[in-house]
Amino acid sequence: MTHHRLEILLLGIFTGLASLQAQEGVDRIAARLDSITNYRATFSYFVTLPITDSDIEYRARLDYRREPADTLCGYSYLVDYKAENDTCPYSNFAAYSQGDCFRFDRNRLREYHNESNPEPFARHGNYPGIHRSGLFAELFPAEIARQLREYRQRPDCRVQFFPDTLVQGTRCNAIFVTDSVRGEVARTLLYAFAPNGLPLYRETENNPGHLGSQTVIVRYESSDTHTSFPPDHFDESHLLQTYGEVFRLYREGDFAARDRVGQMAPPFSLPWGEHRFASTQLKGQPALLLFLDDRGEFCTPVRRMAEELSLQERLTLVFLYAGQQPGSSLNPAGAIVLEQTAKTAGAYGVTGYPTLFLLDPEGIIRYVKVGYTPSLTEEVRQAIGQMQTSHTHRPPQ
């Protein structure tokens, strides 16, 4: 045991209850955890590494909602956290909702979407999938319930239940788990639960008694099951509002460009022959902005599509080349051609070519398309129709 181990003062007993009573006690707590619909908790998370004589402390807030219709996970969550020695100016977070998973940590934003790539969400052996793994995954109410039931059913685990116990002066129900592998203790876990079934404390000691032992202590500061989260609280739209700067600076792939839909197009002013062209000159007219390079495999067919549609739909067409425009390029649509636009591309979240933006007369981005598909012409035409309908029915200012 480490010096962090709490002393449990038992009221009248010094050993765990009989096996049947212990099972009933553990099952009651697990059932209570499974019944939680909405849950918010704040806690401190300490990791102690004796071999390096170093400690790491996180302070975190966990938001959780049960989602019975989500067969992939069964719940949504958002964990906002920060390590005491973390120099990043932004909070770290882990979030999951309806097949979409986001992680921001160590200045890197990673995201996983089950609809486009289900592999990261698949279970492999003891690995439960990206959405149910990570630093704080074991603290979700449904996961604590699952852990307790698994420990109770495993023959190599000893589970002791101590009801009506004092832990550091707080009355609670305690569960002590000794997890063994081939007869040797691999880790021990101490759980403390309030009389209402909510967690108060957890201490895990991995490889106890060994040089490479590790202790993880969770101290809950508050727990609330009465918080009513807005319907979109765990969705990508809410994350974009809450962590907008993180997504703007760290989002990878074509997601960064698609985030701009509904936003005002970033302003730019670039050389145009002997003059300059500024985005303000597009005010009052719908426009297509097409970011291109001279090496993109699909840049040519998308350019041709944009030329045809701009003539048919009377759109102002702007080509923005990452480098220089190929010398042999024709310009049948009279497009505005701008070169050396890498900085502007970054402001628009462009990470691949071609990338097309549809702007309404007010300069708001209404549609974004990265790459090329055979149905692109119809997709853009439909977006133009929706934009025109929306603009026609807009009340006068």
Side-chain angles (χ1 to χ4, degrees), residues 98-303:
Q98 304 294 332
D100 298 319
C101 185
F102 298 86
R103 302 281 176 84
F104 177 67
D105 196 346
R106 299 175 185 174
N107 297 326
R108 184 184 178 192
L109 177 63
R110 290 162 292 173
E111 58 186 291
Y112 311 86
H113 302 278
N114 183 65
E115 184 176 357
S116 58
N117 183 16
E119 179 59 27
F121 297 85
R123 174 182 288 275
H124 296 284
N126 293 327
Y127 178 68
I130 189 66
H131 55 310
R132 294 175 58 193
S133 62
L135 189 61
F136 306 109
E138 292 186 344
L139 303 183
F140 306 142
E143 294 299 326
I144 300 176
R146 180 188 58 79
Q147 295 160 25
L148 293 176
R149 291 191 178 102
E150 286 186 358
Y151 288 137
R152 189 176 63 75
Q153 294 171 0
R154 284 171 48 184
D156 52 355
C157 282
R158 183 186 183 197
V159 180
Q160 296 171 278
F161 178 65
F162 304 96
D164 200 19
T165 297
L166 289 178
V167 174
Q168 289 190 332
T170 301
R171 188 172 298 280
C172 65
N173 296 310
I175 297 174
F176 188 75
V177 179
T178 305
D179 186 11
S180 302
V181 177
R182 300 185 184 92
E184 182 177 359
V185 176
R187 67 173 178 168
T188 60
L189 301 98
L190 171 65
Y191 298 88
F193 296 94
N196 64 1
L198 298 182
L200 295 171
Y201 178 90
R202 195 191 79 168
E203 180 173 334
T204 305
E205 189 170 8
N206 298 305
N207 299 314
H210 291 262
L211 185 62
S213 64
Q214 178 196 67
T215 303
V216 179
I217 296 176
V218 183
R219 288 192 175 94
Y220 291 83
E221 297 159 4
S222 66
S223 294
D224 176 21
T225 59
H226 301 292
T227 300
S228 181
F229 301 110
D232 65 345
H233 183 73
F234 302 93
D235 295 349
E236 181 177 348
S237 59
H238 179 255
L239 297 180
L240 287 169
Q241 293 178 2
T242 307
Y243 305 102
E245 193 74 2
V246 170
F247 279 87
R248 187 180 71 82
L249 294 175
Y250 297 97
R251 198 166 204 185
E252 302 173 352
D254 58 12
F255 299 108
R258 293 174 182 172
D259 284 347
R260 270 60 176 181
V261 173
Q263 299 180 9
M264 185 66 68
F268 62 83
S269 177
L270 296 165
W272 182 34
E274 297 179 355
H275 307 281
R276 295 188 70 84
F277 182 84
S279 55
T280 53
Q281 294 173 246
L282 298 172
K283 187 73 172 179
Q285 51 192 315
L288 279 179
L289 307 187
L290 180 57
F291 288 84
L292 301 160
D293 69 6
D294 58 2
R295 298 181 301 275
E297 178 182 358
F298 297 111
C299 285
T300 298
V302 174
R303 173 173 172 147

Side-chain angles (χ1 to χ4, degrees), residues 1-6 48 50 55 203 205 215 217 219:
M1 298 292 178
T2 70
H3 65 281
H4 293 288
R5 178 66 67 194
L6 296 180
T48 302
D55 296 342
E203 180 173 334
E205 189 170 8
T215 303
I217 296 176
R219 288 192 175 94

